[in-house]
Amino acid sequence: LEKRGRTGYALFFYAMGAAQHREIIMHTLPNITITNRDAARLETLLEGLPAGSFAGLKALEDELYRATLVDPEEIPATVVTMNSTVRFTVMPSGVEHRLKLVYPGKAAASEDTVSILAPVGSALLGLTEGDEIHWPNPNGGTLHLVVQKVEDQPERAGRYDQ
């Protein structure tokens, strides 16, 4: 995979559900960084999904496309990668969560995990501590998340094969 990404601000427009087509929400997305290994695994995963099986497919594909890709050894320790444990806040409620971002199939094994295919999982990938994101919720509206802390990251611990 080649390094790719955008500089400056990326915008997304999210049209609400069928009953609310008139409402469009525009937000500035934070820059994201993903390891080339995670990107390759995720692209393979998405290509293998049956058509229509994942409502957030386009949004996650867009994230992978706009991400800056780096080697696993070069990823900053404050970035959410696959298999990272991250503490984040859902706004405006202020409720804090601590979850491990995992591939599908691993999420069911523990209540402390979130699949990359869940809206929250797709939103967290590539964010840095302190980043905020507004992410489309397939059920309508958006999720507003703030990353507080990347508590565990495989790359930071030298575990590059996860």
Side-chain angles (χ1 to χ4, degrees):
L1 293 170
E2 75 282 358
K3 287 191 179 184
R4 51 191 167 172
R6 307 286 184 286
T7 57
Y9 295 101
L11 298 176
F12 85 92
F13 298 90
Y14 175 66
M16 303 295 280
Q20 302 169 335
H21 277 249
R22 68 191 179 284
E23 185 177 351
I24 296 178
I25 299 173
M26 182 180 87
H27 295 286
T28 301
L29 295 173
N31 293 326
I32 60 172
T33 305
I34 301 174
T35 69
N36 50 23
R37 183 172 299 189
D38 284 348
R41 288 178 179 168
L42 290 168
E43 287 173 353
T44 299
L45 169 71
L46 295 178
E47 288 169 3
L49 291 175
S53 66
F54 171 43
L57 177 65
K58 177 81 170 102
L60 184 52
E61 284 177 337
D62 289 347
E63 285 294 88
L64 293 175
Y65 179 75
R66 76 179 190 87
T68 299
L69 301 182
V70 298
D71 290 331
E73 298 83 7
E74 297 174 4
I75 193 89
T78 57
V79 173
V80 180
T81 62
M82 291 304 301
N83 296 303
S84 289
T85 299
V86 59
R87 217 171 9 92
F88 64 95
T89 305
V90 178
M91 302 304 286
S93 70
V95 175
E96 190 170 283
H97 298 272
R98 180 182 181 273
L99 296 172
K100 182 176 182 178
L101 180 60
V102 298
Y103 291 96
K106 304 283 186 189
S110 169
E111 292 181 10
D112 296 335
T113 60
V114 62
S115 169
I116 185 65
L117 299 183
V120 168
S122 294
L124 289 171
L125 181 66
L127 296 179
T128 299
E129 291 175 1
D131 280 349
E132 294 186 37
I133 193 166
H134 294 263
W135 191 256
N137 185 340
N139 298 324
T142 59
L143 299 169
H144 178 188
L145 307 176
V146 180
V147 176
Q148 302 300 326
K149 178 91 176 137
V150 177
E151 294 183 353
D152 180 50
Q153 182 202 70
E155 294 81 5
R156 179 171 53 201
R159 300 185 316 263
Y160 302 113
D161 58 346
Q162 291 190 336

